[in-house]
């Protein structure tokens, strides 16, 4: 498919125990580009979710539970090959759901999906475990060594902003460790999780290892899954409030959770920063994927000597972004995910003005012609005149918006950046190497970048503090969540 307006309405069914099954009900998937219906999604009822969990348990207790690290690493590499063999199908599915530019879907979402499986194949193939020789006195000793075991059946709940990337970021380590999974993709982005089911089955995974249940949260598949007594762990990426709800659901059963939640990420720009390089980096960190990335920057603290020049530059960059259909030449920026989300973001645009913001760029809904009038479009927006007391600066907007705020000293900048309930990511921009290390380490976040943004080594720890999450994923850090360890002590 190369047309942004497909005529065929895709049927997206649940995937349970190796087969696609109808749902108890259906709902429409609406394109955020133009408001057209692009898919009919089968919503999983309680019985379907129960069947998926039971299928995962049978797989875990059966042949899948007997596989070795080498077996599972080989499977993950075949899955990566399968994604690449159907690369354009995944690109089309991603675009159908999100409306993001085709270059972004290719270079970020689908390419990273294949890389995630290969990375965790390498991790599980090389990961070691602790062993200690303990002196017990009297010339004797004991050998202590750890054994890693999978959790069992893991619920994987993923958001709509980077649906395939974040799905594979969780499914790959879960399978590498020997778990079976039940995936609940966002109702806004059901396509790639469904297509991945075909690839995983074709790669040779036993039935029940990978299951997909479609639906919503409360009173639907999300609630049915997190409440299910057959779930041994929950990994979730999404809003902080939803994470809190999931935690309440699983707390009575003491089910382990891994949460990557919201953020109100800061950039700290010192007046010795190279202007063009900093503008390039900030343009990405503010507006990539229409600001719908958990790591995107919404607060930019700029040292006063550079403030006016940088504010003018960012405003010019925002105005220069090209909004349009995913396959259109020159498109840099897609729509928000839905009309509902646009209404939320617009409410913050209105609030910012009420709080005294001076709008340097954007601030409204663009005029893109009648054929796109039904889409969830919004202008990339830059404000000044706000401070940390404003709701707009304290609450996550999750759109292409940024508040520019001046500071004078390094200590003031650190205090302003850390004045938040969130703690996911930050970036520091400076030519002073010592200050770069000092300030980056002082950020109360899980990820701290210097003179760059969104540069990732998949082996490095990923996660946040405070309202931004619990736990770390990435490389061996993912193995800590997806497995339990047993220490064996042998008296020698």
């Amino acid at each position: 498919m190369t047309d942004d307006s497909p005529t065929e309405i895709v049927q997206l069914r649940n995937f349970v125990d190796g087969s696609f099954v109808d749902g108890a009900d259906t709902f429409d998937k609406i394109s955020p580009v133009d408001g057209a219906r692009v898919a009919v999604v089968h919503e999983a009822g309680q019985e379907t979710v129960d069947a998926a969990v039971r299928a995962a348990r049978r797989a875990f207790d059966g042949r899948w539970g007997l596989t070795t690290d080498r077996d599972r690493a080989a499977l993950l590499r075949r899955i990566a090959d399968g994604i690449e063999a159907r690369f354009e199908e995944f690109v089309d599915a991603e675009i159908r759901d999100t409306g993001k530019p085709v270059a972004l879907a290719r270079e970020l979402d689908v390419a990273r999906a294949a890389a995630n499986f290969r990375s965790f194949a390498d991790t599980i193939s090389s990961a070691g475990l602790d062993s200690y020789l303990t002196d017990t006195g009297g010339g004797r000793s004991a050998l202590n060594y750890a054994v890693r075991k999978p959790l069992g059946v893991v619920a994987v709940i993923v958001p709509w902003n980077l649906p395939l990337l974040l799905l594979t970021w969780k499914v790959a380590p879960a399978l590498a460790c020997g778990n079976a999974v039940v995936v609940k993709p966002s109702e806004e982005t059901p396509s790639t999780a469904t297509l991945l089911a075909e690839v995983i089955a074709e790669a040779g995974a036993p039935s029940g290892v990978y299951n997909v249940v479609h639906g919503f949260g409360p009173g639907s598949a999300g609630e049915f899954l997190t409440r299910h007594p057959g779930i041994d762990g929950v990994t979730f990426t999404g809003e902080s409030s939803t994470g809190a709800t999931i935690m309440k659901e699983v707390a009575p059963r003491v089910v382990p959770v891994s949460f990557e939640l919201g953020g109100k990420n800061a950039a700290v720009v010192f007046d010795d920063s190279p202007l063009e390089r900093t503008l390039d980096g900030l343009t990405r960190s503010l507006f990539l994927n229409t600001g719908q990335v958990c790591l995107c920057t919404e607060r930019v603290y700029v040292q006063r000597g550079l403030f006016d020049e940088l504010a003018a530059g960012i405003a010019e960059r925002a105005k220069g972004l090209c909004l349009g259909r995913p396959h259109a030449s020159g498109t840099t920026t897609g729509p928000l995910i839905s009309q509902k989300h646009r209404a939320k973001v617009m409410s913050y645009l209105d609030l910012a003005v009420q709080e005294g913001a001076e709008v340097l760029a954007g601030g409204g809904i663009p005029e893109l012609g009648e054929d796109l009038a039904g889409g969830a479009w919004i202008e990339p927006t830059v404000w000044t005149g706000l401070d940390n007391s404003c709701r707009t600066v304290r609450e996550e907007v999750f759109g292409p918006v940024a508040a520019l705020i001046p500071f004078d000293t390094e200590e003031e900048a650190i205090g302003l950046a850390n004045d938040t309930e969130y703690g996911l990511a930050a970036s520091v921009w400076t030519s002073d190497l010592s200050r770069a290390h000092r300030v980056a380490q002082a950020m109360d976040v899980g990820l701290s970048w210097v003179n760059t943004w969104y540069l990732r080594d998949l082996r490095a720890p990923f996660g946040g503090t405070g309202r931004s999450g619990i736990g770390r994923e990435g490389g061996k850090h993912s193995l800590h969540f997806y497995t339990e360890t047993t220490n064996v002590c042998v008296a020698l």
Side-chain angles (χ1 to χ4, degrees):
M1 174 172 37
T2 58
D3 191 340
D4 293 333
S5 302
T7 56
E8 180 185 359
I9 304 300
V10 179
Q11 295 282 327
L12 298 173
R13 294 177 169 82
N14 304 289
F15 189 75
V16 177
D17 203 16
S19 299
F20 287 102
V21 298
D22 291 345
D25 203 352
T26 62
F27 60 93
D28 292 337
K29 165 58 194 169
I30 302 301
S31 169
V33 174
D34 55 15
R37 184 177 71 150
V38 293
V40 173
V41 188
H42 288 252
E43 182 180 0
Q46 177 72 68
E47 290 184 359
T48 303
V49 172
D50 184 59
V53 174
R54 286 188 284 108
R57 178 65 60 192
R58 285 194 301 272
F60 179 73
D61 291 340
R63 181 161 62 95
W64 180 244
L66 301 177
T67 55
T68 65
D69 290 349
R70 179 181 294 182
D71 296 332
R72 295 191 299 274
L75 173 67
L76 264 60
R77 293 189 176 101
R78 293 196 299 272
I79 294 170
D81 292 342
I83 291 171
E84 291 178 342
R86 303 178 68 173
F87 195 92
E88 291 304 320
E89 290 182 66
F90 278 100
V91 170
D92 291 340
E94 188 81 357
I95 290 172
R96 180 172 64 240
D97 281 351
T98 66
K100 64 183 58 175
V102 62
L104 184 63
R106 285 184 179 136
E107 296 167 14
L108 177 62
D109 299 88
V110 183
R112 242 303 282 283
N116 284 340
F117 280 103
R118 291 204 174 96
S119 177
F120 283 108
D122 292 342
T123 297
I124 200 64
S125 297
S126 60
L129 283 164
D130 294 337
S131 65
Y132 305 98
L133 191 61
T134 307
D135 184 353
T136 59
R140 304 194 68 176
S141 61
L143 173 64
N144 286 270
Y145 65 92
V147 178
R148 183 183 292 118
K149 302 174 183 177
L151 285 179
V153 177
V154 177
V156 178
I157 305 175
V158 289
W160 45 257
N161 59 322
L162 301 170
L164 181 63
L165 187 158
L166 293 173
L167 171 67
T168 55
W169 180 241
K170 296 176 181 297
V171 168
L175 299 189
C177 293
N179 300 282
V181 299
V182 181
V183 171
K184 210 295 281 184
S186 168
E187 64 273 15
E188 297 288 358
T189 51
S191 298
T192 47
T194 309
L195 182 56
L196 185 62
E198 297 180 16
V199 170
I200 290 177
E202 290 166 358
S207 296
V209 167
Y210 177 88
N211 306 271
V212 180
V213 291
H214 293 299
F216 305 87
S220 186
E223 180 179 333
F224 302 151
L225 185 58
T226 55
R227 282 188 173 182
H228 200 288
I231 293 298
D232 300 307
V234 179
T235 177
F236 168 74
T237 297
E239 293 185 0
S240 300
S241 59
T242 305
T245 299
I246 293 173
M247 185 174 290
K248 290 178 183 177
E249 292 288 351
V250 303
R253 294 179 283 122
V254 199
V255 172
V257 297
S258 176
F259 288 164
E260 193 268 285
L261 306 177
K264 191 69 177 178
N265 306 309
V268 176
V269 182
F270 290 94
D271 58 13
D272 64 347
S273 303
L275 183 61
E276 288 304 311
R277 178 180 178 181
T278 303
L279 287 171
D280 288 344
L282 288 177
T283 300
R284 288 188 71 241
S285 76
L286 300 180
F287 304 125
L288 183 75
N289 200 38
T290 320
Q292 300 170 123
V293 179
C294 56
L295 300 167
C296 272
T297 304
E298 292 190 10
R299 299 179 292 142
V300 184
Y301 301 101
V302 187
Q303 198 159 28
R304 205 172 297 274
L306 189 63
F307 186 85
D308 290 341
E309 191 174 6
L310 185 132
I314 284 293
E316 182 181 0
R317 297 292 185 96
K319 294 173 183 176
L321 295 172
C322 180
L323 282 62
R325 287 190 175 273
H327 289 91
S329 176
T331 293
T332 62
T333 308
L336 294 173
I337 190 63
S338 67
Q339 295 286 353
K340 178 181 178 182
H341 187 55
R342 183 172 72 172
K344 174 199 168 184
V345 175
M346 283 300 302
S347 73
Y348 278 103
L349 302 189
D350 295 339
L351 176 62
V353 173
Q354 294 170 24
E355 291 179 319
E358 177 187 351
V359 180
L360 302 184
I365 296 174
E367 294 289 339
L368 298 176
E370 186 176 349
D371 64 327
L372 297 180
W377 299 93
I378 198 164
E379 293 174 334
T381 300
V382 179
W383 301 300
T384 60
L386 303 178
D387 60 35
N388 275 23
S389 68
C390 299
R391 281 182 54 201
T392 316
V393 180
R394 305 202 68 80
E395 299 175 10
E396 183 182 37
V397 179
F398 213 64
V401 301
L404 307 183
I405 300 171
F407 72 87
D408 293 303
T409 68
E410 178 181 316
E411 292 73 20
E412 181 188 6
I414 293 170
L416 289 169
N418 287 338
D419 180 21
T420 176
E421 295 179 324
Y422 296 97
L424 185 55
S427 60
V428 179
W429 303 84
T430 179
S431 295
D432 185 326
L433 182 61
S434 295
R435 179 164 59 191
H437 283 283
R438 192 167 58 242
V439 177
Q441 292 178 35
M443 296 292 98
D444 292 335
V445 295
L447 300 97
S448 194
W449 282 287
V450 174
N451 295 332
T452 188
W453 177 79
Y454 208 35
L455 180 60
R456 293 272 295 119
D457 186 314
L458 300 186
R459 298 167 296 182
F462 180 92
T465 64
R467 294 194 69 203
S468 290
I470 296 174
R472 295 292 182 270
E473 297 183 354
K476 65 181 181 181
H477 306 280
S478 289
L479 306 188
H480 298 326
F481 172 71
Y482 291 104
T483 62
E484 295 281 12
T485 53
T486 297
N487 186 77
V488 177
C489 179
V490 181
L492 302 177

